[in-house]
Amino acid sequence: MAALILNFWAHRMISFRNALRALLGPLVVVGALSSAHAGPYDDALIKLTTDNYADTDAGVAALVESGNPRAEAIIEALRAGTLLYGDGKLAIRGPAGVAVDATTATPLVASDAGSLKPVRVNNRVRRAVEAALGSMTLLSPDQRRRLDAAAAVLRSRDAAALPSLDKALAQEKVERVKIAMLEARAAIILNQPDSSPGDRLAAVATLGNLGNQNALALLANLPAGASPELTAAARQASETIAANLALWNAAQNVWYGISLGSVLLLAAIGLAITFGTMGVINMAHGEMVMIGAYTTFMVQEVIRNHAPGLFGASLFIALPLAFLIAGAIGIAIERLVIRFLYGRPLETLLATWGLSLILQQGVRTMFGPSNREVGTPEWMSGALQLGGLSLTYNRIAIVIFAFAVFATLLLVLRYTSLGLYMRAVTQNRRMAGSVGIRTSRIDALAFGLGSGVAGIAGVALSQIDNVSPNLGQSYIIDSFMVVVFGGVGNLWGTLVGAMTLGVANKLLEPFAGAVLGKILLLVAIILFIQRRPRGLFALKGRAAEA
Amino acid sequence: MSAPTTPTLLYLDNVTVTFDGFRALNALSLAIDHHEMRAIIGPNGAGKTTMMDVITGKAKPDDGQAVFDGSHDLTALDEATIAELGIGRKFQTPTVFEHHTVEDNILLALKADRRPFSALLSRRDKVERERIDALLERVRLNRHRHRLAAELSHGQKQWLEIGMLLAQEPKLLLVDEPAAGMTDQETADTADLLRDIAKTRAVVVVEHDMTFVRDLGVKVTCLHEGSVLAEGPLDVVSANERVIEVYLGR
Amino acid sequence: MSTIINRQAVVVLVLLALAAIVIPAMNLAAAPGSVFHLSDHLVPLFGKYLCFALLALSVDLVWGFCGILSLGHGAFFALGGYAMGMYLMRQVGSRGVYADPVLPDFMVFLNWKELPWFWEGFNHFPYALLMILAVPGALAFVFGWFAFRSRVTGVYLSIMTQAMTFALMLAFFRNDMGFGGNNGLTDFKDILGFSVQAKSTRIALFVLSVAALAAGYVLCRWVVSSKLGKVVVAIRDAESRTRFLGYHVEQYKLVVFTLSAMLAGVAGALYVPQVGIINPGEFAPANSIEAVIWVAVGGRGTLAGAILGALVVNAGKTWFTGAVPEYWLFALGGLFVLVTLFMPTGILGAADKVWKRLRSRPEDTRGELASQAAE
């Protein structure tokens, strides 16, 4: 249901964009028509009406040479099979079957249209058309069209496009397009039998410098009969590229690791607060995350039904709500159950496990056992290309968000009175009590804060994970590993723990596979805990916090 | 490093312990003879408990050596091994096994094979029973032998713990504030008991209660900031300017 | 020194002996349709409860007496189960779907050509029996050796045991581990030459479960009433005191933990032929925690309480999942909360308190109470 609504919106957006393009396209052509002038252009047109492949081929080349603004529309029609000829006239059949005069774009009268036949093409002509379109649009002001054109030239590898390619390269400013053009140029040179060995070597060097997957493919498919030094150069370039790509690949994995690390950080940081401040093991922590995710779902439901315009802001509305709801449930749990169990950590563990079962089943009863669809706002979809890296916006948002939450919590703990009291209680509960801090109130608030943070973690996780009643369960063991590994009662330890585990996990994955990697990591942590039973940062605790 | 052979039972030399940059013990040196009773005094944070931790293997020094009975390097051993060597330790707050009977508390402490499978197969014999009877008699808990340790009074627990230490038959007893929380009568009795024990083994008593220390009538060591400030008979130590300044007050 | 067979033990053993007689009799002798008749599917169900009771007993030994809250005992149970499953799988022989004389079906399906080395020997029952004890025991020994030596205690240890069973679950889900992956081991044909489906086999397995539980109980009684048991309780109540008395605490914990894991392995091994399947789901952390709650409900540190708790909670589970399945997790979750809050000593602890108040004879406070929960 939710997916349907989402798809509907996506389609609306796309069809709107197409409509706009369709509206603007003809206007440009018609507007340019008035400045058309006769000359090589007319000669070229005549060649297209002779029903001879060689003439047609030459005509296409001449048309490109002419630089006439109508040329593109005509060649486009030739490719689409809608270019008609007869009586020394050229016409284009429009979408509704109405033909227009190819040179003037004015509609033809019905009698004229009757005797027209399509201009025929063979493979050679088709190649020429492809290259012609490519080289013509290489200079288009629209960046996307230039990119498409470069790709078209790359596919055709037609030497005829070389002059326009060089012209376009000279003035190209956009890096991405320039790379595509360079690829196309190198491909043409390598493919052309009569290009000089020097040019070919230069082309190989260019590809080597580009260093991407396309270049690697081009180098791997050198035409037969390449000279030994060319082959050697190509092999060397390939190796450089492969090494380069491996480096990017590793960087990409590190990024995935950081991204996983921030997810772990979000899930574990609330746990670090409750565990660190109160020594309370909260097995229901994962369910707080799950409740945050369901809050997001409910917020989006309301928005879809009542204020679709607000969809982009849904996450910002969900954040404070999730914090409050999860925080309130946390405080309720603390007041009703946990406070009777202080000093009995094992019992607390069991009781909160029971609570987690109740919360899971409660959500299952209310929302059903299946996954709920939480939508991603437009501004969070898509990806950022950074060299060989592809960073999706939602992951970037989560990484930034995790660090923001971390920084905020650090500030809260350091500069607010709640933070001061919490630190006092962490270090010496009895002393804090005797200087007048109401420790039980601080416990409740600290528990609420930890749970609230879990709630907002749920908002973030709803963007990358399935929102189901089991959401929390899948994070609880990992979160505990982070806290135990990082050291209890220290947010910096949690940060380092989360990032280490995240990156290690993703770096292990390519070698060991996802499951085995995770197992290896669990075993590594179990062994690590033997060495440092109180975690990475336990001893420096006070120093790092101060 | 081979430990030097010394006539002393316990020999601490230049022991330094730091926690998080804080020097709990600062080049502490101390020697206890066989059959000596020593009282350790000093203000809070002087390092008394840390010193006991080092001797019993709970804390590992950063520097210095701790040698027991001439040849055992205490810094390399764990608590259980040190206890088996013959060092018994009484905690500040009485620590007994509350869910065991008084009798079983003593039984567990009796010098015997400590390995798990020996424990699994051990049966109580006549010698053990007589030892238990004697010990209960000595710490005056014979009437309570079938009660759970949890039901004992504070003073009785202190005595039970001392009884457990005696059952271990240690060469050296470390006793942390035995008089804390006791009535005057109990305090005096405890002093008597300790003096009696010191006839056959070495005893180190950490105590704040100056009356109690005076009752013991033994050589006193005053610790301050992790090192020995003064050492000698109580009258000499308590006349020391620095001791008065940091500990006794003017 | 308390005796191995005390009053509680007599009650437990008599009840178990009765069960071993009455339940088969009700199934075999009573005419179908009479109120005393027990239908065929209930026999393995009760057998399953008994296996859970043995698992609970093993949890009680480490938690109730030694203070080690293991959230990973399900792993030992499952390993014992897999060892039995492997034996049963090898017994299938060429009667499998693919009729391979040696390879189990799932290996043929995965296109494996030969038996992995760790499957060798499982066609011999004594070898399988050895593995049922050795594999969980070895895992517990290695894990415990690391954990206890470096003094990982309390909740840290609990979380580590949970991570252990979680890691094993992930591992057993993998097909290339060679344990049937997701589906586990199933479609067993016979055990020691008797069909696992046969009524007589099921009754034999039930009686065997009773016997195993009784033997396990007596073994636990022997351990906890020995001096070793007293040391273990001492460790639970005052670990450093015990250490300063000269006991190597880690050795004691290791002995008890390993023994307990072996008991859990036996429970798993008896469980598998009665339910007819073992899969990686048995490693799920939730299963291990559920076993802990059985012990808490019955009363930890009492042994009999563990058995009682396992039977009561599982009977409740059977009823709930049949009558009102959607409320079972509410009930189980509520049980966790209520027991920890209001009944920390469980049913037996509460009953004991009432009994004492009624009689209030001071010398009775020794035996049973000594083993009662500490915190």
Side-chain angles (χ1 to χ4, degrees):
Chain A
M1 168 68 186
L4 268 180
I5 295 175
L6 198 73
N7 276 336
F8 171 74
W9 272 99
H11 284 301
R12 282 281 293 270
M13 292 303 293
I14 291 166
S15 52
F16 175 70
R17 207 181 287 156
N18 286 346
L20 204 67
R21 198 177 289 162
L23 211 66
L24 290 175
L27 278 179
V28 175
V29 177
V30 171
L33 198 64
S34 56
S35 63
H37 47 83
Y41 173 61
D42 294 316
D43 297 341
L45 291 182
I46 288 164
K47 284 205 162 69
L48 291 176
T49 59
T50 58
D51 199 16
N52 173 314
Y53 291 134
D55 278 349
T56 311
D57 194 11
V60 169
L63 207 52
V64 175
E65 281 297 301
S66 75
N68 188 290
R70 282 295 296 160
E72 197 189 329
I74 292 167
I75 297 176
E76 187 74 62
L78 181 58
R79 179 164 74 170
T82 55
L83 186 68
L84 313 171
Y85 76 98
D87 300 339
K89 267 190 194 141
L90 273 176
I92 299 172
R93 190 171 58 230
V98 183
V100 295
D101 188 297
T103 47
T104 59
T106 51
L108 294 177
V109 288
S111 62
D112 284 345
S115 58
L116 296 178
K117 287 186 287 185
V119 180
R120 295 187 302 155
V121 291
N122 63 359
N123 274 346
R124 189 168 143 216
V125 174
R126 221 169 265 133
R127 183 104 52 78
V129 164
E130 202 64 42
L133 277 174
S135 55
M136 268 188 300
T137 44
L138 280 173
L139 292 166
S140 158
D142 181 354
Q143 183 188 323
R144 186 180 294 254
R145 298 196 69 188
R146 292 206 300 279
L147 201 60
D148 289 346
V153 174
L154 179 66
R155 271 196 307 276
S156 72
R157 295 183 193 178
D158 189 336
L162 212 49
S164 27
L165 199 55
D166 284 335
K167 201 166 143 198
L169 262 172
Q171 50 178 271
E172 186 56 59
K173 298 266 188 311
V174 181
E175 190 64 23
R176 211 157 63 121
V177 182
K178 199 166 188 169
I179 289 174
M181 288 178 175
L182 281 172
E183 276 168 17
R185 188 173 186 279
I188 292 170
I189 290 174
L190 285 178
N191 208 41
Q192 217 179 337
D194 56 345
S195 53
S196 73
D199 281 353
R200 289 185 170 196
L201 280 176
V204 166
T206 313
L207 287 176
N209 287 337
L210 288 176
N212 58 18
Q213 205 74 47
N214 278 344
L216 205 57
L218 283 174
L219 286 171
N221 293 314
L222 280 189
S227 66
E229 67 252 57
L230 186 66
T231 324
R235 189 181 310 126
Q236 204 185 348
S238 297
E239 278 163 13
T240 320
I241 294 174
N244 204 2
L245 282 179
L247 210 64
W248 279 118
N249 208 11
Q252 181 79 49
N253 279 331
V254 169
W255 161 253
Y256 286 141
I258 291 173
S259 156
L260 176 64
S262 13
V263 169
L264 291 177
L265 178 63
L266 277 172
I269 197 163
L271 204 61
I273 294 175
T274 48
F275 197 13
T277 316
M278 301 180 292
V280 163
I281 281 277
N282 181 13
M283 293 299 256
H285 184 81
E287 277 57 49
M288 300 296 150
V289 175
M290 184 259 293
I291 284 169
Y294 272 91
T295 307
T296 319
F297 167 71
M298 285 193 293
V299 166
Q300 290 197 349
E301 280 292 277
V302 172
I303 285 179
R304 277 186 195 118
N305 292 334
H306 300 287
L310 282 175
F311 192 80
S314 60
L315 297 187
F316 296 103
I317 300 170
L319 279 179
L321 275 176
F323 183 85
L324 290 177
I325 293 174
I329 294 178
I331 289 178
I333 288 176
E334 200 277 340
R335 286 289 89 183
L336 293 176
V337 177
I338 290 173
R339 84 180 153 119
F340 301 107
L341 297 172
Y342 282 126
R344 292 157 63 193
L346 298 183
E347 274 87 345
T348 314
L349 191 156
L350 293 178
T352 49
W353 175 267
L355 288 170
S356 86
L357 293 182
I358 294 174
L359 288 171
Q360 270 177 53
Q361 187 59 34
V363 167
R364 200 172 286 129
T365 309
M366 279 164 70
F367 295 94
S370 50
N371 292 346
R372 287 304 186 151
E373 183 83 27
V374 170
T376 303
E378 183 94 1
W379 55 270
M380 266 176 81
S381 36
L384 176 71
Q385 295 296 331
L386 202 73
L389 291 183
S390 169
L391 318 177
T392 54
Y393 285 122
N394 61 350
R395 290 284 177 169
I396 295 176
I398 285 178
V399 171
I400 294 173
F401 181 66
F403 279 92
V405 169
F406 177 77
T408 313
L409 276 178
L410 269 192
L411 294 178
V412 164
L413 286 185
R414 192 171 301 175
Y415 294 114
T416 65
S417 51
L418 173 66
L420 178 68
Y421 293 156
M422 273 172 59
R423 277 181 295 143
V425 172
T426 310
Q427 284 171 22
N428 193 333
R429 174 170 292 271
R430 267 182 40 212
M431 182 59 85
S434 50
V435 299
I437 295 172
R438 289 159 67 192
T439 52
S440 75
R441 224 184 85 142
I442 296 302
D443 286 337
L445 287 177
F447 205 83
L449 179 65
S451 304
V453 171
I456 60 178
V459 178
L461 293 191
S462 74
Q463 292 301 305
I464 54 167
D465 205 339
N466 296 329
V467 177
S468 79
N470 302 327
L471 174 73
Q473 285 290 298
S474 45
Y475 285 99
I476 189 74
I477 289 184
D478 286 338
S479 309
F480 272 123
M481 290 300 118
V482 167
V483 175
V484 166
F485 178 66
V488 172
N490 183 338
L491 290 188
W492 287 103
T494 312
L495 176 69
V496 174
M499 288 303 153
T500 313
L501 294 194
V503 172
N505 203 337
K506 288 298 173 186
L507 289 184
L508 274 176
E509 249 175 41
F511 306 104
V515 177
L516 203 58
K518 203 175 164 92
I519 296 168
L520 287 178
L521 213 56
L522 282 175
V523 171
I525 296 174
I526 291 175
L527 290 178
F528 170 83
I529 288 301
Q530 324 292 342
R531 292 237 141 259
R532 302 197 65 161
R534 290 290 172 264
L536 208 54
F537 273 71
L539 269 180
K540 299 175 193 157
R542 265 169 291 169
E545 199 86 300
Chain B
M1 151 185 83
S2 73
T5 314
T6 57
T8 51
L9 178 64
L10 175 72
Y11 177 74
L12 300 185
D13 184 35
N14 205 25
V15 172
T16 300
V17 177
T18 49
F19 296 122
D20 267 344
F22 167 71
R23 272 176 185 255
L25 287 185
N26 190 5
L28 174 79
S29 297
L30 186 78
I32 307 286
D33 283 334
H34 293 273
H35 305 265
E36 183 192 349
M37 167 134 76
R38 177 77 60 91
I40 310 271
I41 60 171
N44 282 329
K48 300 179 303 255
T49 304
T50 310
M51 182 193 78
M52 292 214 177
D53 286 348
V54 169
I55 297 170
T56 53
K58 197 179 172 199
K60 297 290 167 209
D62 304 322
D63 197 14
Q65 48 177 317
V67 181
F68 181 69
D69 211 5
S71 56
H72 302 288
D73 176 12
L74 296 179
T75 60
L77 304 173
D78 69 351
E79 296 100 314
T81 313
I82 291 175
E84 279 186 294
L85 284 179
I87 296 182
R89 177 176 186 179
K90 202 200 124 345
F91 293 103
Q92 195 168 331
T93 46
T95 314
V96 294
F97 306 123
E98 308 227 322
H99 289 86
H100 281 313
T101 60
V102 170
E103 193 180 329
D104 279 349
N105 268 277
I106 300 286
L107 170 74
L108 286 175
L110 275 188
K111 191 178 175 72
D113 192 340
R114 296 294 201 225
R115 282 172 305 180
F117 287 103
S118 320
L120 184 63
L121 302 169
S122 92
R123 311 291 298 158
R124 206 180 316 182
D125 58 19
K126 190 159 168 274
V127 182
E128 274 190 337
R129 223 168 290 141
E130 283 168 2
R131 292 254 315 122
I132 294 173
D133 289 345
L135 283 162
L136 286 176
E137 198 62 52
R138 191 164 186 192
V139 294
R140 304 178 191 172
L141 289 169
N142 219 341
R143 280 194 307 126
H144 305 287
R145 65 188 304 157
H146 294 309
R147 290 178 68 190
L148 288 184
E151 299 164 8
L152 298 181
S153 74
H154 180 82
Q156 285 171 327
K157 282 183 190 168
Q158 296 273 36
W159 278 53
L160 174 56
E161 200 179 7
I162 292 173
M164 289 163 72
L165 291 196
L166 291 176
Q168 270 181 276
E169 296 177 24
K171 296 180 180 131
L172 169 67
L173 240 85
L174 304 175
V175 189
D176 203 348
E177 300 200 23
M182 282 193 167
T183 63
D184 286 351
Q185 183 57 45
E186 282 173 336
T187 307
D189 289 347
T190 306
D192 282 345
L193 179 65
L194 289 177
R195 268 200 304 271
D196 190 39
I197 292 168
K199 284 176 192 158
T200 52
R201 50 197 101 229
V203 180
V204 172
V205 184
V206 166
E207 190 49 77
H208 271 303
D209 184 340
M210 292 310 281
T211 329
F212 183 79
V213 174
R214 196 168 293 280
D215 270 2
L216 292 176
V218 295
K219 189 174 172 185
V220 172
T221 299
C222 180
L223 295 190
H224 177 56
E225 290 178 349
S227 352
V228 174
L229 190 64
E231 201 166 82
L234 181 60
D235 293 337
V236 177
V237 170
S238 55
N240 183 308
E241 275 292 310
R242 292 275 293 139
V243 173
I244 295 169
E245 188 183 327
V246 304
Y247 183 49
L248 299 173
R250 285 176 201 275
Chain C
M1 197 175 288
S2 36
T3 46
I4 296 172
I5 308 296
N6 61 359
R7 207 168 353 153
Q8 184 211 68
V10 171
V11 175
V12 170
L13 293 176
V14 166
L15 286 177
L16 284 178
L18 273 178
I21 297 165
V22 170
I23 288 179
M26 283 169 74
N27 177 234
L28 291 174
S34 94
V35 275
F36 296 110
H37 180 71
L38 203 64
S39 67
D40 285 350
H41 77 275
L42 286 178
V43 176
L45 182 71
F46 290 155
K48 191 174 94 172
Y49 292 171
L50 293 174
C51 296
F52 287 152
L54 188 54
L55 172 62
L57 207 56
S58 75
V59 172
D60 195 23
L61 191 61
V62 286
W63 183 38
F65 291 89
C66 201
I68 302 168
L69 177 54
S70 166
L71 299 182
H73 256 51
F76 306 130
F77 181 84
L79 285 173
Y82 266 97
M84 177 59 100
M86 285 161 83
Y87 163 75
L88 293 172
M89 228 43 198
R90 296 292 304 270
Q91 293 309 106
V92 172
S94 53
R95 284 168 293 172
V97 177
Y98 299 108
D100 189 299
V102 178
L103 295 189
D105 275 349
F106 74 89
M107 290 188 196
V108 182
F109 183 76
L110 290 175
N111 250 329
W112 290 15
K113 294 295 170 235
E114 53 188 284
L115 207 62
W117 60 269
F118 47 84
W119 276 77
E120 296 295 346
F122 272 97
N123 45 339
H124 305 296
F125 188 72
Y127 178 79
L129 218 50
L130 179 71
M131 288 299 126
I132 285 164
L133 292 170
V135 173
L139 175 66
F141 186 86
V142 171
F143 183 91
W145 194 79
F146 278 116
F148 302 140
R149 202 178 51 122
S150 44
R151 302 194 185 167
V152 179
T153 54
V155 286
Y156 284 90
L157 189 66
S158 303
I159 290 171
M160 285 301 128
T161 53
Q162 188 175 39
M164 175 193 77
T165 192
F166 184 65
L168 280 168
M169 180 179 75
L170 294 180
F172 273 73
F173 266 122
R174 288 160 49 87
N175 274 332
D176 34 347
M177 277 286 285
F179 295 106
N182 212 350
N183 301 321
L185 310 175
T186 186
D187 289 334
F188 307 130
K189 300 289 186 243
D190 49 32
I191 177 168
L192 290 169
F194 304 103
S195 162
V196 288
Q197 300 294 336
K199 198 167 174 173
S200 53
T201 315
R202 297 198 149 186
I203 287 189
L205 283 169
F206 173 83
V207 175
L208 217 57
S209 304
V210 176
L213 181 57
Y217 174 77
V218 171
L219 179 72
C220 288
R221 277 294 312 160
W222 176 46
V223 168
V224 303
S225 60
S226 72
K227 187 173 170 188
L228 179 130
K230 289 185 200 294
V231 176
V232 162
V233 170
I235 291 170
R236 178 193 74 189
D237 291 348
E239 181 165 334
S240 63
R241 172 78 280 166
T242 318
R243 206 170 257 137
F244 285 123
L245 282 183
Y247 290 101
H248 291 270
V249 165
E250 58 283 357
Q251 295 175 3
Y252 281 79
K253 285 183 172 175
L254 198 52
V255 167
V256 174
F257 194 63
T258 307
L259 176 68
S260 160
M262 290 167 141
L263 277 180
V266 172
L270 282 164
Y271 170 84
V272 168
Q274 300 190 70
V275 297
I277 184 168
I278 174 84
N279 61 31
E282 295 296 336
F283 284 104
N287 284 16
S288 296
I289 298 201
E290 221 176 297
V292 170
I293 204 64
W294 305 335
V295 177
V297 167
R300 68 182 140 128
T302 59
L303 295 183
I307 299 175
L308 179 68
L311 299 182
V312 168
V313 176
N314 280 296
K317 183 176 186 169
T318 304
W319 182 81
F320 261 101
T321 47
V324 276
E326 62 272 31
Y327 290 108
W328 163 241
L329 280 184
F330 285 128
L332 184 65
L335 202 58
F336 273 96
V337 178
L338 297 178
V339 166
T340 46
L341 280 183
F342 301 111
M343 238 171 50
T345 54
I347 298 174
L348 280 201
D352 203 41
K353 211 178 274 174
V354 173
W355 182 245
K356 288 241 168 56
R357 199 165 296 162
L358 288 178
R359 304 204 326 170
S360 63
R361 263 172 42 187
E363 67 269 24
D364 241 61
T365 48
R366 15 186 333 216
E368 275 83 344
L369 216 133
S371 46
Q372 243 180 51
E375 292 139 299

